[in-house]
Amino acid sequence: MNDWFTVEKIDDNTHVISEYRHWEETHCYLLEGKQRCLLIDTGLGICDIFKTVKALTEKPITAVATHIHWDHIGGHKYFPEFYAHEAELEWLNGKFPLSAETVREMVKERCDLPEGFDVNDYEIFQGRPTEILRGNETIDLGGRKITVLHTPGHSPGHMCFWEAERGYLFTGDLIYKGTLFAYYPSTDPEAYLRSLEAVSALPAKRLFPAHHSLDIKPEIAVRMRDAFRILKIQRKLKHGAGKFDYGDWSVLL
């Protein structure tokens, strides 16, 4: 199972840990400060991400998910200390919108699973966070400060993480190349636009998405914002409106 994760260096104390054998190519980000580390998203939980992280740092690690979807919190089971947004706490307590059987079927059909992995053993992570987030908090890692941004739309408690000093914006499922999902009952297209308005105004130098291509520039946030604005004017920014394609990204409403 050693080839499940791919590790790439962003800078001396920032790494991306990717699961390219998942059909959406999930990315997790390890941010190291002088005193401790923050792991943004923990992936599917199919393989032990803790071992991969510990090979990169000996400092204490806090996990946080951009949102409580199963492909972002699977590895939380390896981290006793983790944060979550208040709007999605019920999803960590038996009320996740999808059944375990549905998720197992997706894992089986859409992942290149490692040899020896029994999909019947796969469980959706459940647990109680050590800290509840609401947005606008500062996570101090020691000489490195990360601002929590509440960016609902894809999910009620979706969060982006902003590191002003480096101009790094970790966008989760709010922004990435590929098809954005805003059609689930738990999504909110109007809130999605408001979140794009907020993050597109930041002086970001680099964007780090949770899925697909890592070759993504800050200008895509502006393009997405403008497209959502037009959809709203056309009264199409609502569930059931369909799929809209913009070249390197699309949105399913």
Side-chain angles (χ1 to χ4, degrees), residues 68-92:
I68 309 301
H69 282 173
W70 60 274
D71 53 328
H72 296 261
I73 61 166
H76 274 41
K77 60 188 175 184
Y78 302 111
F79 300 92
E81 183 173 350
F82 73 92
Y83 302 161
H85 194 276
E86 64 175 350
E88 295 176 0
L89 295 181
E90 287 191 345
W91 290 1
L92 289 166

Side-chain angles (χ1 to χ4, degrees), residues 171-190:
T171 62
D173 280 12
L174 184 75
I175 295 173
Y176 57 80
K177 288 183 176 178
T179 301
L180 305 178
F181 298 118
Y183 69 94
Y184 303 124
S186 57
T187 65
D188 184 336
E190 292 272 354

Side-chain angles (χ1 to χ4, degrees), residues 54 75 83 199:
K54 291 306 291 182
Y83 302 161
V199 300

Side-chain angles (χ1 to χ4, degrees), residues 67-225:
H67 57 300
I68 309 301
H69 282 173
W70 60 274
D71 53 328
H72 296 261
I73 61 166
H76 274 41
K77 60 188 175 184
Y78 302 111
F79 300 92
E81 183 173 350
F82 73 92
Y83 302 161
H85 194 276
E86 64 175 350
E88 295 176 0
L89 295 181
E90 287 191 345
W91 290 1
L92 289 166
N93 190 30
K95 295 184 179 179
F96 187 69
L98 296 179
S99 69
E101 291 75 17
T102 298
V103 171
R104 288 187 193 114
E105 196 62 30
M106 288 193 291
V107 169
K108 181 179 179 180
E109 291 182 356
R110 303 182 186 182
C111 290
D112 175 18
L113 293 170
E115 186 176 351
F117 178 78
D118 187 351
V119 72
N120 295 311
D121 293 334
Y122 188 83
E123 298 288 344
I124 300 172
F125 174 78
Q126 303 280 267
R128 178 176 295 182
T130 51
E131 185 171 330
I132 296 171
L133 302 175
R134 294 169 177 83
N136 298 318
E137 295 90 351
T138 297
I139 301 173
D140 192 344
L141 304 177
R144 189 171 190 184
K145 294 183 178 181
I146 311 300
T147 301
V148 179
L149 306 176
H150 182 209
T151 52
H154 177 73
S155 69
H158 190 283
M159 296 178 287
C160 292
F161 297 91
W162 168 238
E163 186 173 9
E165 185 174 350
R166 302 184 197 209
Y168 287 0
L169 180 62
F170 300 89
T171 62
D173 280 12
L174 184 75
I175 295 173
Y176 57 80
K177 288 183 176 178
T179 301
L180 305 178
F181 298 118
Y183 69 94
Y184 303 124
S186 57
T187 65
D188 184 336
E190 292 272 354
Y192 211 123
L193 172 56
R194 292 192 293 272
S195 294
L196 288 172
E197 295 276 7
V199 300
S200 64
L202 296 171
K205 296 178 182 176
R206 296 189 68 179
L207 298 190
F208 298 101
H211 295 294
H212 302 307
S213 176
L214 292 168
D215 181 17
I216 184 168
K217 303 293 187 287
E219 55 80 28
I220 196 172
V222 175
R223 286 196 283 123
M224 288 181 174
R225 177 203 66 193

